[in-house]
Amino acid sequence: MGAVMLQGTGSDVGKSVLVAGLCRALVHRGLRVRPFKPQNMSNNAAVTTDGGEIGRAQALQAIACRAEPHSDMNPVLLKPQADRTSQLIVHGKVRGTLGAGNFRQARGRLLGEVMASYRRLSADCDIVVVEGAGSPAEINLRAGDIANMGFARAADVPVVLIGDIDRGGVIAAIVGTRTVIDPADAAMIRGFLINKFRGDPALFEDGYRQIEQLSGWRGFGVVPWLSATARLPSEDAVILERRSDRGEGRVIVACPILPRISNFDDLDPLKLEPGVELRMVPPGQPIPAEAALIVLPGSKATIADLGALRAEGWDIDILAHHRRGGAILGLCGGYQMLGQRVSDPDGIEGPPGTVEGLGLLAVETRLSPAKTLRRVEGRALDAGFDGYEMHMGETDGADRARAFARFDDGRTDGAINPGGTVMGSYVHGVLASVDLRRALLARLGVAGGGQDYAASVDGALDEIARQLEQHVDIDALIALAREGSAS
């Protein structure tokens, strides 16, 4: 049938959520839909059915399409590491490391591979909903672009521009985009959407018409503030310090926000527990002494984040918590930090070397170039779960004899200390299991478990789709996608 691309006037204007919601709305209309993001930059990723990895937002959008995530949905993924470098993932596999200075030259050579993924997806569905990255108004990045107009023009996909009214200046943001971009790029934009509107949309009617008049683009609707978005996993770490889930009489679970934190959506299922207060601890604040559980999350640069953890004094908080008998859970990079040492002989994350870990688990980690990417099922804490592994390196030692999990194929994962208070695992998504969450919280004296996380996410997508049907001219977007495919 065709494709339509949503680009934004800037980052964090809601592109990912609107793509997911539009995908689900189109599925409700009986269409076969696939999401696509040519280039993404995120340390939140998911494992695909073809054994690769893509950005978490595209995995969520696949769920919105009721499709399995595939590496073609996000052919180029950059995962920021320490020292201004990023791991380059192409078609789901590691292709090396790029510095801030050489990516602009390298990315243009990736357009052919981006187009190959797009063509494969297009052949397998009725409509592709494409998400841009950042903003086309970043004209200093236009040369060699594959994320926004570089892709749109190569694939001849019409664009709808999203403006975030909640941050203010939305008229200038949309009209200003028209002013600064190349006329040939501006010709690809066929209209705009206003996102995150609070209150009565009629109050913005004059502003809406002024944008149409000044830009020459038609409006496709005004999207209200979507409260259901809070039930979706977030891809960008910028959202973490805004999270607040405080309540009286709840058990506190604390998680420090490390500079290269990754896959922090692992903790989202805890927000479903009425007896739990999840506190994401930003730099400059101590880990609360009253926490019952500290979770050390995944990291894209374990050694660098371990150094940052110590620089914040969080290691002192964690060791004091351990001496008081408090529970600690390390996931992926956090698991590696809990061990006695982390070695990087090949310089995977930076200069080769070895650093001391927190010493709370009798294990050691050796980083290596090979990356483990696989979906897993098994049992942990006497409860069933499914999730995925995504890590570079292997961890072994005496505490591996007390494995955190046993997979259905007989392999074991993770480690538990002799007292049972410190646990580590390489499995992402493990807390989504209702039974496992209940077992973990029982150790904290909390009667947890009950609400299914996957069902909560699915319900949020349905709710967002219903609101888009009410406030967006979806018929016109479908016509636009068909028009683009016919041109």
Side-chain angles (χ1 to χ4, degrees):
M1 176 184 291
V4 63
M5 185 175 194
L6 302 189
Q7 296 184 18
T9 56
S11 298
D12 200 31
V13 300
K15 296 186 295 291
S16 296
V17 170
L18 291 186
V19 168
L22 180 58
C23 285
R24 179 55 63 90
L26 296 174
V27 166
H28 284 170
R29 291 176 174 228
L31 298 172
R32 291 179 303 144
V33 190
R34 295 294 181 269
F36 185 70
K37 185 160 187 171
Q39 172 200 311
N40 199 354
M41 178 175 281
S42 176
N43 277 335
N44 266 18
V47 174
T48 61
T49 52
D50 56 321
E53 59 178 307
I54 59 175
R56 164 55 60 189
Q58 282 62 66
L60 173 67
Q61 291 159 2
I63 292 172
C65 294
R66 303 197 190 282
E68 290 288 345
H70 192 279
S71 59
D72 279 337
M73 296 173 180
N74 177 203
V76 177
L77 174 62
L78 296 172
K79 306 186 80 172
Q81 294 177 304
D83 301 325
R84 300 177 66 190
T85 62
S86 293
Q87 186 181 78
L88 173 65
I89 312 293
V90 179
H91 291 154
K93 303 298 183 183
V94 177
R95 187 168 288 188
T97 301
L98 292 175
N102 65 352
F103 175 63
R104 292 179 66 177
Q105 292 73 33
R107 62 180 178 175
R109 297 193 293 270
L110 297 170
L111 181 59
E113 297 183 84
V114 166
M115 291 301 298
S117 285
Y118 172 68
R119 284 191 289 267
R120 285 192 291 266
L121 279 183
S122 299
D124 190 43
C125 66
D126 298 318
I127 188 168
V128 179
V129 184
V130 186
E131 178 186 345
S135 168
E138 296 164 338
I139 56 176
N140 56 309
L141 304 178
R142 179 61 179 89
D145 168 61
I146 61 173
N148 290 307
M149 288 303 178
F151 167 79
R153 288 176 62 175
D156 194 23
V157 173
V159 174
V160 175
L161 189 65
I162 299 169
D164 178 359
I165 197 169
D166 189 59
R167 66 173 59 182
V170 72
I171 296 175
I174 296 175
V175 177
T177 297
R178 176 65 185 257
T179 300
V180 302
I181 64 176
D182 181 89
D185 287 349
M188 299 302 301
I189 300 179
R190 308 299 296 278
F192 63 89
L193 278 169
I194 303 298
N195 196 26
K196 304 182 187 178
F197 189 89
R198 301 174 190 260
D200 183 358
L203 298 176
F204 189 64
E205 183 65 27
D206 288 345
Y208 190 84
R209 298 306 171 198
Q210 287 166 339
I211 294 174
E212 289 187 319
Q213 179 182 357
L214 292 169
S215 69
W217 298 325
R218 63 153 294 180
F220 285 96
V222 177
V223 181
W225 185 269
L226 300 170
S227 59
T229 300
R231 308 207 307 269
L232 300 178
S234 176
E235 183 177 46
D236 295 321
V238 70
I239 196 71
L240 290 179
E241 293 185 32
R242 304 180 203 164
R243 289 189 175 181
S244 178
D245 191 24
R246 296 177 180 267
E248 294 296 327
R250 294 180 176 183
V251 163
I252 295 171
V253 176
C255 174
I257 304 175
L258 299 166
R260 290 291 179 264
I261 188 171
S262 66
N263 292 78
F264 51 82
D265 59 302
D266 283 340
L267 282 74
D268 282 354
L270 292 172
K271 295 187 294 184
L272 299 178
E273 299 295 343
V276 172
E277 177 186 330
L278 176 62
R279 290 193 193 175
M280 304 300 295
V281 183
Q285 294 187 16
I287 296 175
E290 64 270 29
L293 171 67
I294 294 175
V295 179
L296 293 184
S299 168
K300 192 65 197 72
T302 300
I303 291 176
D305 270 355
L306 189 52
L309 184 148
R310 288 191 164 109
E312 289 290 336
W314 285 333
D315 58 326
I316 298 172
D317 297 340
I318 293 167
L319 294 175
H321 174 82
H322 175 61
R323 287 194 297 271
R324 293 191 295 267
I328 302 171
L329 172 64
L331 297 172
C332 202
Y335 168 36
Q336 295 174 340
M337 294 178 196
L338 290 174
Q340 295 167 325
R341 276 171 292 279
V342 180
S343 300
D344 187 6
D346 300 308
I348 303 300
E349 294 186 353
T354 298
V355 299
E356 297 297 311
L358 295 173
L360 298 180
L361 285 174
V363 296
E364 297 185 11
T365 296
R366 179 187 174 96
L367 301 179
S368 63
K371 191 166 194 177
T372 300
L373 291 169
R374 57 190 167 209
R375 295 185 176 189
V376 294
E377 296 181 358
R379 296 187 67 80
L381 307 181
D382 294 323
F385 72 88
D386 60 74
Y388 59 94
E389 291 183 85
M390 179 185 295
H391 61 92
M392 302 180 80
E394 298 295 331
T395 301
D396 204 1
D399 281 349
R400 284 278 291 117
R402 288 176 296 278
F404 176 80
R406 180 175 293 277
F407 299 140
D408 288 349
D409 63 8
R411 292 181 300 113
T412 60
D413 161 76
I416 301 176
N417 74 334
T421 58
V422 182
M423 299 164 281
S425 172
Y426 272 124
V427 180
H428 294 289
V430 69
L431 294 177
S433 162
V434 173
D435 290 341
L436 192 146
R437 212 162 60 239
R438 182 184 294 115
L440 176 64
L441 294 177
R443 294 183 170 216
L444 310 179
V446 178
Q451 192 169 356
D452 184 272
Y453 178 65
S456 175
V457 169
D458 204 63
L461 290 168
D462 282 340
E463 182 177 331
I464 291 169
R466 285 193 294 270
Q467 290 193 275
L468 294 186
E469 285 281 7
Q470 294 174 19
H471 299 281
V472 175
D473 191 343
I474 293 180
D475 288 333
L477 290 179
I478 293 174
L480 179 63
R482 288 172 171 164
E483 177 185 330
S485 66
S487 63

